[in-house]
């Protein structure tokens, strides 16, 4: 029997993914390693991206944004590069990230210890209660941004909290596990592209890759979750397979190339 939590999470997915007939192709666009761009967050927002990704390390109590531990800088914090600018952007755009579009996904990829980082991250997200979606027991309060924790994740601690300002990023194995957190606590599932196929975009996509992607999409959506893959080649032939299969978030390092693809009619199903 479907519980309240699943029903509410599925209802949230319907809003977050996009209302029928009102979906923008850019709702699928995910800025992979967004922080490497000249203007972190803002380059993606100016192009209409529906999701951005920030890697973080906990260093001396500070949540620093960087791809590698040896490249952290004290002035590049999660708050200064993402949370504070998001609050300012939303205030300047009528209380939304984009008009008549779903909430922006802020994927926070934790590179340091899961539990100690969550202890520092959780109160920070709470301080942005005016912009970040929150869950309270069996209810959800939708706001302009949805935070999702990936990488080193507090897999036990976060789902156990009644009041949460983030969800977990799951893995493909969670789609087949009876022990996976409900969709309200794990609204997104992501995994390495190599778990689907070794195909890197040379020639047509193998039929086995098409079947595996379609199967993963069907499972995720049946559970009220969204789906994403990392380590996908930045190639139109790969993006086309993902779009036509119904994958929810499509990552790219080249923001302009993915934007051109998604907004051109050839990139749509």
């Amino acid at each position: 029997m479907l519980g309240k939590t699943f029903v509410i999470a599925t209802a949230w997915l319907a809003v977050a993914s996009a209302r029928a007939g009102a979906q923008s192709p850019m709702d699928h666009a995910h800025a992979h390693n967004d922080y490497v761009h000249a203007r972190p967050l803002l380059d993606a927002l100016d192009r209409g991206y529906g999701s951005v990704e920030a890697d973080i390390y906990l260093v001396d109590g500070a949540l620093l944004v960087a791809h590698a531990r040896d490249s952290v800088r004290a002035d590049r914090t999660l708050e200064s590069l993402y949370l504070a600018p998001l609050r300012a952007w939303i205030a300047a755009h009528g209380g939304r990230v984009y008009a008549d579009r779903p909430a922006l996904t802020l994927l926070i990829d934790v590179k340091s210890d899961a539990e100690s980082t969550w202890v520092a991250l959780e109160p920070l997200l709470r301080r942005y209660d005016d912009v970040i979606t929150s869950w309270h027991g069996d209810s959800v309060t939708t706001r302009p941004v949805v935070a999702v924790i990936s990488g080193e994740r507090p897999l036990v601690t976060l789902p156990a909290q009644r009041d949460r300002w983030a969800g977990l990023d799951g893995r493909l194995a969670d789609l087949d596990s009876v022990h996976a957190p409900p969709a309200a606590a794990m609204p997104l599932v992501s995994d390495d592209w190599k778990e689907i196929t070794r195909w890197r975009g040379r020639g047509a996509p193998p039929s086995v890759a098409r079947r595996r992607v379609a199967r993963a999409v069907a499972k995720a959506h049946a559970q009220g979750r969204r789906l994403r893959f990392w380590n996908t080649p930045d190639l139109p032939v790969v993006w086309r397979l993902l779009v036509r299969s119904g994958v929810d978030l499509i990552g790219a390092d080249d923001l302009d190339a993915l934007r051109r693809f998604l907004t051109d009619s050839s990139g749509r199903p």
Side-chain angles (χ1 to χ4, degrees):
M1 176 184 284
L2 291 177
K4 256 187 206 178
T5 302
F6 177 83
V7 173
I8 290 169
T10 304
W12 172 79
L13 173 67
V15 173
S17 296
R19 294 176 296 276
Q23 191 170 15
S24 163
M26 293 304 293
D27 294 336
H28 298 296
H30 173 72
H32 176 247
N33 292 344
D34 176 79
Y35 50 88
V36 302
H37 297 292
R39 298 162 65 240
L41 177 68
L42 299 179
D43 279 350
L45 295 186
D46 284 344
R47 290 163 173 80
Y49 269 61
S51 179
V52 297
E53 177 183 336
D55 292 357
I56 65 167
Y57 291 85
L58 178 65
V59 181
D60 297 328
L63 296 168
L64 305 182
V65 177
H67 187 64
R69 174 63 177 81
D70 60 5
S71 61
V72 299
R73 284 173 26 193
D75 61 325
R76 290 175 64 85
T77 68
L78 180 67
E79 184 168 23
S80 67
L81 290 185
Y82 288 90
L83 298 177
L86 274 170
R87 178 179 275 164
W89 176 282
I90 289 163
H93 290 80
R96 301 288 298 273
V97 176
Y98 307 115
D100 302 318
R101 285 181 56 189
L104 177 84
T105 297
L106 174 60
L107 186 69
I108 302 171
D109 192 343
V110 176
K111 299 298 186 181
S112 45
D113 175 72
E115 294 298 330
S116 59
T117 304
W118 180 241
V119 168
L121 177 56
E122 195 267 347
L124 175 62
L125 295 177
R126 281 178 180 255
R127 294 205 296 272
Y128 285 82
D129 178 74
D130 53 317
V131 298
I132 295 180
T133 293
S134 58
W135 288 261
H136 307 277
D138 288 333
S139 67
V140 57
T141 302
T142 56
R143 298 188 181 93
V145 178
V146 174
V148 178
I149 311 303
S150 192
E152 299 299 322
R153 301 155 294 157
L155 292 170
V156 176
T157 304
L158 188 151
Q161 295 178 315
R162 184 186 185 281
D163 300 307
R164 296 179 288 100
W165 279 259
L168 290 172
D169 185 21
R171 299 293 176 258
L172 288 176
D174 291 312
L175 296 176
D176 296 313
S177 173
V178 296
H179 302 295
M186 187 178 279
L188 178 67
V189 167
S190 305
D191 218 322
D192 196 326
W193 182 237
K194 70 183 180 183
E195 296 298 322
I196 292 291
T197 180
R198 297 290 179 174
W199 177 65
R200 302 297 296 171
R202 296 186 64 179
S207 58
V208 65
R210 295 197 301 270
R211 289 196 302 271
R212 287 175 176 172
V213 174
R215 189 179 306 123
V217 169
K219 287 181 180 179
H221 290 178
Q223 297 175 21
R225 311 181 201 268
R226 294 188 294 166
L227 184 66
R228 176 185 75 98
F229 294 101
W230 72 77
N231 196 29
T232 54
D234 274 14
L235 295 171
V237 66
V238 178
W239 295 336
R240 186 168 294 111
L241 170 62
L242 299 177
V243 170
R244 292 178 174 175
S245 300
V247 173
D248 300 280
L249 295 179
I250 299 171
D253 295 303
D254 189 333
L255 300 183
D256 287 324
L258 180 59
R259 184 179 187 278
R260 285 192 299 269
F261 171 81
L262 288 174
T263 55
D264 184 84
S265 59
S266 66
R268 299 179 188 175

